Amino acid sequence: MRVGIDIDNTIVCYDEAFAVLARKIGFDVPASANKQEVRTWFHERGLHDEFTLLQGQIYGKNISLAHVFEGVQSFLAQAISRNYEVFLISHKTKYPIKGEKLNLHEAALNFLSEQNIVGEQRSNSIPVGNVYFEPTLEFKVKKIVDLRLDYFIDDLLTVLNHGNFPDGTGRIWFSSHTCGLDNAQIVHWKSWSSINKFFFGLA
């Protein structure tokens, strides 16, 4: 079995991080706001560039404010024990669009290593060579095609609905939302517990 997984908002959860950092640097966003709600708060006030700067900081030097979704480590342990090949595929620019020039790929890899998601000598970790950062959505989908995956898990329907997404790869949408799902080829799960049950019969 060959399984691919997106990174941001699929393995790594940033929901609390956006409100925490926004408030720390002086924006009066609600403390309980998630990423989308913080984005809306900024955009309603015309603070588009400020949100872009905030996002770059969170994906870079403040990535430690994020956490791994509950159930991810359990999935990896089960998958690797069954000799699944697991790949991480993200479409993420190397540097933020605005602000300080920090290497976002390096920041993500360091965070994933610290969380034991990625590592060469760890029994339940993904080899670094199986992690891919692609510059655009199109290159990400091409990598999914090239790797001949059995399944791909992503939080973005724009990936799973892409015209070039391979027919032979199962599409799993990881999201707490339901709006916009009109593709019968996509399986929708709201938690990694449900994904574990889908693959392994385990909660």
Side-chain angles (χ1 to χ4, degrees), residues 168-189:
T169 299
R171 312 173 195 216
I172 297 178
W173 185 35
F174 171 69
S175 175
S176 60
H177 304 291
T178 56
C179 295
L181 181 58
D182 56 4
N183 185 338
Q185 293 180 293
I186 296 175
V187 178
H188 176 215
W189 299 115

Side-chain angles (χ1 to χ4, degrees), residues 130-144:
N130 284 14
V131 182
Y132 299 92
F133 295 102
E134 302 297 336
T136 66
L137 174 61
E138 286 69 29
F139 277 105
K140 178 178 181 176
V141 173
K142 184 178 185 303
K143 182 59 68 176
I144 295 169

Side-chain angles (χ1 to χ4, degrees), residues 8-172:
D8 292 333
N9 306 303
T10 303
I11 285 180
V12 183
C13 179
Y14 298 93
D15 272 354
E16 295 86 354
F18 275 80
V20 168
L21 186 58
R23 291 172 65 85
K24 183 178 179 180
I25 60 181
F27 294 101
D28 191 26
V29 303
S32 61
N34 62 28
K35 175 186 175 181
Q36 185 57 50
E37 290 165 343
V38 172
R39 184 203 302 268
T40 299
W41 189 94
F42 273 77
H43 286 187
E44 285 177 348
R45 291 159 176 78
L47 302 172
H48 301 277
D49 287 349
E50 287 81 355
F51 181 80
T52 301
L53 287 167
L54 177 71
Q55 184 167 258
Q57 290 182 50
I58 288 173
Y59 288 169
K61 65 183 179 181
N62 288 286
I63 196 171
S64 62
L65 295 174
H67 66 271
V68 172
F69 280 104
E70 184 178 355
V72 170
Q73 278 99 343
S74 297
F75 175 88
L76 292 180
Q78 292 295 330
I80 292 169
S81 72
R82 289 165 167 78
N83 295 317
Y84 285 21
E85 290 187 83
V86 183
F87 303 85
L88 303 186
I89 310 170
S90 171
H91 69 288
K92 181 199 288 283
T93 59
K94 191 170 185 179
Y95 301 105
I97 297 171
K98 292 181 179 293
E100 190 176 350
K101 191 175 181 180
L102 298 164
N103 189 321
L104 303 183
H105 297 180
E106 186 177 282
L109 277 175
N110 288 340
F111 178 80
L112 292 169
S113 177
E114 290 168 1
Q115 301 299 316
N116 297 323
I117 301 297
V118 171
E120 298 300 336
Q121 304 299 325
R122 299 167 184 158
S123 59
N124 292 332
S125 298
I126 300 166
V128 174
N130 284 14
V131 182
Y132 299 92
F133 295 102
E134 302 297 336
T136 66
L137 174 61
E138 286 69 29
F139 277 105
K140 178 178 181 176
V141 173
K142 184 178 185 303
K143 182 59 68 176
I144 295 169
V145 172
D146 291 346
L147 288 173
R148 299 179 181 274
L149 302 174
D150 295 293
Y151 287 96
F152 190 73
I153 306 167
D154 205 311
D155 70 299
L156 292 179
L157 286 174
T158 51
V159 175
L160 302 175
N161 282 323
H162 194 279
N164 293 330
F165 195 95
D167 290 336
T169 299
R171 312 173 195 216
I172 297 178

